[in-house]
Amino acid sequence: MNVIESLGGVLPLTTLEFANRAYKYALDPLRNPIKEIMDKCPSIEETPPFLGIFNDISWNKFRETEAHAWAKAGFSWIVNDAEHTQWEGNYGREQNAAEGRLGLLAVQRLQREAISSYGDAYQLGARATLRPYGSTFKEAEIYFQSVNFPDPGNATPFNRGGYPVRNGDRSMHYTPEDLRSAETETQGWVQFETSEYIIDKKLRDRILELMVEQGRNKACGFVGPLDAILRQGDIPEMNDSINNFFQKATKLGIHTGRVVGSGSMEDPKDIEEGMVEAIKHGARLISVHPLTSDMTYRGACEMAAPFFRACKRCGF
């Protein structure tokens, strides 16, 4: 499967593909469109990359027409960011449903202090959550407890609580057995963005093994090198450590990814090369560095450019 086939066979997306995605969502609003593709692929090496972006648009300013444009352009996953944008990035049922109808995976990022909210985000339609800033094994352990229902008789103080989820016809799954059988497609994403998680291979590998224990394609890792550098200063071995992380995770069957690009890497050719490097080392969740709120200006700038070039050629 190549990346265009994973998007439905054509790019930009057509009306037929949007209708197909909406139909699938109506049949099963608990589906996870990216995990479905991961599950179909026999290995990470044969899994196509997925394009994502971090969303800083407030939930009450969100418009489905904008998300339609993201999907049409080939984006597959959206991190609705309630870590740095706080309550404004806490997306609700209507916003997550809009993204789901468009075939976008809604990933809810929350604050490092959150526990119950990670499991509750699935109640609001997010199909994945992203846990930032971890630096200890215990933090990762608590996070995975918070996104999983308890084993009967072995509950922890951090497990996901019981609350009904609904089918496409709004009928409810309202027993422990129903909840467990219905909520099989959620994912827990761990952000590897501290030197403890990226550089310390012993700790890194313990966390990766914990992620393997969650089940096939149930846990993903995402690298954010900016925070590691912000916390520790310039780390010469950072890039090699990130690539080594991708390789190790790939061997264990864990999908990983990173943001490619930054304020100091804006040239599209450099960004493309960075993406190639990440993909060749095993990364499959590739994010652009601009945020969703940047798309309006960038699109306007591209549309206006021919006019100003024409004016210059005419002596104006």
Side-chain angles (χ1 to χ4, degrees):
M1 183 186 301
N2 65 37
V3 67
I4 302 302
E5 290 170 340
S6 74
L7 292 170
V10 63
L11 189 68
L13 271 60
T14 63
T15 301
L16 182 61
E17 176 59 20
F18 280 113
N20 182 49
R21 293 180 177 199
Y23 174 70
K24 288 180 178 179
Y25 180 82
L27 288 178
D28 182 13
L30 303 178
R31 69 187 290 260
N32 180 327
I34 281 186
K35 185 175 179 294
E36 283 181 11
I37 296 170
M38 291 177 174
D39 289 345
K40 290 177 182 177
C41 297
S43 67
I44 292 178
E45 289 86 351
E46 297 175 75
T47 303
F50 306 94
L51 179 63
I53 189 170
F54 282 67
N55 179 23
D56 63 335
I57 296 173
S58 175
W59 66 267
N60 59 326
K61 302 293 184 181
F62 170 82
R63 296 188 304 167
E64 188 168 349
T65 52
E66 289 187 72
H68 185 282
W70 308 339
K72 186 174 182 177
F75 286 87
S76 296
W77 53 276
I78 310 296
V79 175
N80 300 313
D81 190 3
E83 179 196 4
H84 294 303
T85 60
Q86 298 293 297
W87 70 273
E88 292 185 353
N90 263 310
Y91 271 40
R93 289 186 176 88
E94 296 303 317
Q95 295 81 20
N96 286 321
E99 292 181 1
R101 286 191 296 270
L102 296 166
L104 297 167
L105 171 62
V107 183
Q108 183 65 66
R109 182 160 76 163
L110 296 164
Q111 308 94 325
R112 75 189 92 181
E113 298 84 1
I115 296 178
S116 294
S117 298
Y118 281 109
D120 290 336
Y122 302 135
Q123 305 295 148
L124 299 178
R127 296 289 82 196
T129 55
L130 178 59
R131 205 283 188 190
Y133 285 136
S135 59
T136 68
F137 180 80
K138 187 65 176 178
E139 287 172 292
E141 193 173 43
I142 290 173
Y143 168 62
F144 281 115
Q145 290 172 3
S146 75
V147 297
N148 285 303
F149 293 121
D151 292 326
N154 295 299
T156 76
F158 309 111
N159 282 124
R160 179 180 173 183
Y163 193 84
V165 296
R166 296 180 184 271
N167 295 313
D169 62 359
R170 291 192 55 76
S171 59
M172 291 193 295
H173 295 276
Y174 213 162
T175 69
E177 294 76 15
D178 282 348
L179 283 174
R180 289 190 177 92
S181 64
E183 285 286 70
T184 61
E185 303 308 297
T186 57
Q187 291 178 315
W189 291 20
V190 174
Q191 196 149 2
F192 288 72
E193 58 178 345
T194 63
S195 61
E196 290 89 345
Y197 274 23
I198 299 172
I199 305 292
D200 184 344
K201 291 184 179 180
K202 185 177 179 181
L203 176 58
R204 179 202 72 183
D205 291 350
R206 285 187 70 199
I207 294 168
L208 285 174
E209 292 291 348
L210 177 65
M211 295 167 75
V212 171
E213 293 173 9
Q214 306 309 307
R216 184 170 183 258
N217 300 327
K218 287 287 288 178
C220 297
F222 194 81
V223 175
L226 174 62
D227 278 289
I229 295 170
L230 189 67
R231 289 158 63 98
Q232 299 293 127
D234 189 30
I235 305 173
E237 66 268 32
M238 178 60 71
N239 196 60
D240 288 342
S241 295
I242 291 172
N243 287 335
N244 183 263
F245 163 70
F246 293 150
Q247 292 172 321
K248 178 68 175 181
T250 298
K251 289 179 182 178
L252 294 172
I254 300 294
H255 288 85
T256 57
R258 66 167 296 170
V259 174
V260 182
S262 67
S264 60
M265 186 199 281
E266 286 276 1
D267 189 310
K269 292 182 180 179
D270 292 338
I271 292 172
E272 182 179 335
E273 288 303 313
M275 290 180 174
V276 168
E277 180 181 1
I279 292 168
K280 285 187 173 180
H281 282 89
R284 291 296 180 266
L285 301 165
I286 305 297
S287 175
V288 298
H289 73 282
L291 305 175
T292 51
S293 65
D294 296 311
M295 286 187 174
T296 304
Y297 167 70
R298 286 175 178 252
C301 187
E302 184 175 330
M303 294 169 68
F307 168 77
F308 290 103
R309 290 197 296 268
C311 289
K312 185 176 180 180
R313 289 174 60 187
C314 295
F316 293 97

